[in-house]
Amino acid sequence: MFGHIFRYALKALARTRVLLFWTLAFPFMLSTFMYLAFGNIFESTEQFHVIPAAVVQKEASEIFDPMLSAVSGDGDDALLSVTKVEEEEAEKMLEDGKVKGIIFVDRDAISLKVKENGMDETVLQMVLNQFLRYKKTVADVAVANPERIDDVIASLSSQVDYFVEAETSKGNQDDTTNFFYAVFAMTCLFASFAGCDRILKIQANATDLGKRRGVAPIHKLKGILAEFCACELVQYLMACLLFLYMQFVLGIDFGTKYPAILLLLFAGTSFGNMFGILIGSLPRLGEGAKIGILISFNMLLCVLADLVANGIRALIERHLPILNDINPAALIVDGFYALNIYDTYHRYLGNVLALCGLTAVCTVICYFLVRRNRYASL
């Protein structure tokens, strides 16, 4: 009987177009739109790139030339990519967007010309400000102690160190990836719609099919488990397809810990399915009311897990951490984050066990809600 219910539940789920849209098509479309909107934000605003600049130098400078060589070397520590050209060509390069700014160097003055304001232009201004400070120091030493001028220039040139690159984690540091973690959380929670739909099919006071199944000689727990297994198989496959699409088609970096990711998706969809079965088992509520509860809860939990704004989950973690501990969407997002950032599995396993615990609680409550249902009239 278990196998019979399982097979027919699979067929019913495959034919329910509304469920297929919200649990398969919608997450694919949402992740695609997010990628188009946020895909290059990290590279363009947070990740450092060597800044191209043109230098128009009318006369050599004993201070500026060593400093320019220090910040525009050929190694990985280079800050600028400098091209020395004439003024007319530099203006054309700036207009065409080939350089971020033009540095004009003369014996007595140094100036910067930029086309727009941004991070790269700010860094160029910082370089020039540093040069001006060095120049003033050299001028003061030349007046007070001229015999030490060569030592001061050498010392200042050797101190040009604008940044030090240090690896704090091997994972993806892009904050916008949290939005895609939240899409996975939403997909797992949307599995609740399938679970609710299937539990309604075994309730005699909800559907005609439920009336026929209510008089069938089958244990309620066995029927619930068969429906759950069918829903879980379908929803888990959909979540896996979404992961493959994001990882290998969109090119989003979720790391390479694939077995752990698949386990996290399984725990997430398991909770989503059982949560839907639990809500569908609530007495004295119609189908519309139950769907409304699921939509409200799912969206609220996903919003609290950074689906619409990055940083909400971190804010809750600082002020009310217990809310993240019982929010399945936050547990899923944090599970992905832990896998991508940390080398150990301690935090990840805590999230998976919490999801399993919430699923077990929903299962027990659901069983007690449906096991002794009696109807005076159907």
Side-chain angles (χ1 to χ4, degrees):
M1 184 62 72
F2 180 92
H4 178 80
I5 297 175
F6 177 79
R7 288 194 302 273
Y8 275 87
L10 286 178
K11 293 179 180 180
L13 288 170
R15 296 172 181 174
T16 308
R17 295 181 180 179
V18 175
L19 291 177
L20 291 177
F21 173 79
W22 288 109
T23 57
L24 180 62
F26 182 71
F28 272 78
M29 292 189 296
L30 181 61
S31 61
T32 302
F33 295 147
M34 281 188 171
Y35 175 77
L36 295 175
F38 306 131
N40 296 320
I41 289 180
F42 180 70
E43 288 78 4
S44 60
T45 61
E46 297 185 38
Q47 193 172 18
F48 176 77
H49 301 281
V50 176
I51 302 170
V55 174
V56 177
Q57 192 167 9
K58 298 181 180 179
E59 294 187 25
S61 172
E62 294 181 351
I63 304 175
F64 183 75
D65 288 346
M67 186 190 73
L68 190 64
S69 299
V71 299
S72 60
D74 297 330
D76 295 334
D77 294 336
L79 180 65
L80 304 180
S81 175
V82 174
T83 305
K84 294 185 178 181
V85 294
E86 298 297 326
E87 182 174 354
E88 183 178 350
E89 185 178 352
E91 294 283 357
K92 186 176 186 303
M93 293 175 67
L94 180 63
E95 187 66 27
D96 295 340
K98 296 180 179 179
V99 295
K100 294 294 183 180
I102 304 173
I103 302 174
F104 295 93
V105 182
D106 204 342
R107 177 182 293 274
D108 299 323
I110 181 171
S111 61
L112 173 67
K113 181 178 180 180
V114 297
K115 185 179 180 181
E116 56 188 19
N117 294 324
M119 181 178 296
D120 292 341
E121 289 77 10
T122 302
V123 173
L124 288 174
Q125 186 62 53
M126 290 173 57
V127 172
L128 264 64
N129 291 339
Q130 185 84 332
F131 165 75
L132 294 176
R133 287 195 293 269
Y134 283 1
K135 182 180 179 181
K136 184 179 184 303
T137 301
V138 171
D140 293 342
V141 171
V143 173
N145 198 355
E147 65 274 8
R148 297 194 58 191
I149 190 69
D150 292 335
D151 295 336
V152 171
I153 292 177
S155 176
L156 292 176
S157 300
S158 65
Q159 292 179 11
V160 178
D161 189 8
Y162 287 89
F163 66 95
V164 175
E165 183 176 355
E167 185 181 79
T168 58
S169 172
K170 296 181 180 179
N172 184 2
Q173 301 293 317
D174 188 350
D175 287 341
T176 61
T177 309
N178 280 345
F179 291 111
F180 299 98
Y181 297 157
V183 172
F184 280 119
M186 182 198 70
T187 302
C188 292
L189 293 188
F190 274 15
S192 59
F193 296 132
C196 182
D197 176 75
R198 297 315 305 162
I199 195 65
L200 290 175
K201 299 300 189 293
I202 66 173
Q203 290 182 299
N205 62 337
T207 61
D208 292 334
L209 178 59
K211 294 177 182 179
R212 296 194 297 271
R213 296 180 63 176
V215 297
I218 181 174
H219 197 280
K220 288 289 181 63
L221 181 59
K222 183 182 293 186
I224 293 175
L225 289 178
E227 298 286 356
F228 169 80
C229 291
C231 292
E232 177 60 20
L233 177 60
V234 173
Q235 299 302 319
Y236 181 61
L237 288 177
M238 291 181 180
C240 291
L241 288 174
L242 180 63
F243 168 71
L244 294 175
Y245 174 72
M246 286 191 190
Q247 177 84 7
F248 299 106
V249 178
L250 298 184
I252 301 170
D253 183 12
F254 294 114
T256 57
K257 300 175 182 177
Y258 300 131
I261 291 174
L262 295 178
L263 177 60
L264 179 60
L265 291 177
F266 180 80
T269 53
S270 294
F271 171 82
N273 282 316
M274 190 51 67
F275 181 64
I277 292 175
L278 172 61
I279 298 301
S281 302
L282 295 177
R284 299 186 180 89
L285 289 178
E287 181 178 359
K290 294 175 180 178
I291 296 298
I293 292 174
L294 286 178
I295 293 175
S296 301
F297 267 89
N298 289 341
M299 295 312 301
L300 175 61
L301 295 176
C302 290
V303 167
L304 296 179
D306 291 349
L307 180 63
V308 298
N310 196 11
I312 295 179
R313 183 175 58 88
L315 183 65
I316 295 174
E317 187 65 29
R318 287 196 298 269
H319 299 285
L320 193 62
I322 191 174
L323 184 57
N324 281 339
D325 295 337
I326 61 176
N327 179 358
L331 293 173
I332 295 170
V333 171
D334 194 67
F336 274 102
Y337 176 82
L339 283 176
N340 207 358
I341 299 299
Y342 298 106
D343 293 331
T344 65
Y345 289 89
H346 178 75
R347 182 167 172 176
Y348 159 79
L349 290 176
N351 292 316
V352 172
L353 291 176
L355 283 170
C356 293
L358 291 173
T359 304
V361 171
C362 291
T363 303
V364 173
I365 296 174
C366 177
Y367 173 67
F368 281 102
L369 285 175
V370 303
R371 68 171 186 153
R372 295 186 181 277
N373 282 346
R374 297 291 185 271
Y375 306 99
S377 174
L378 294 176

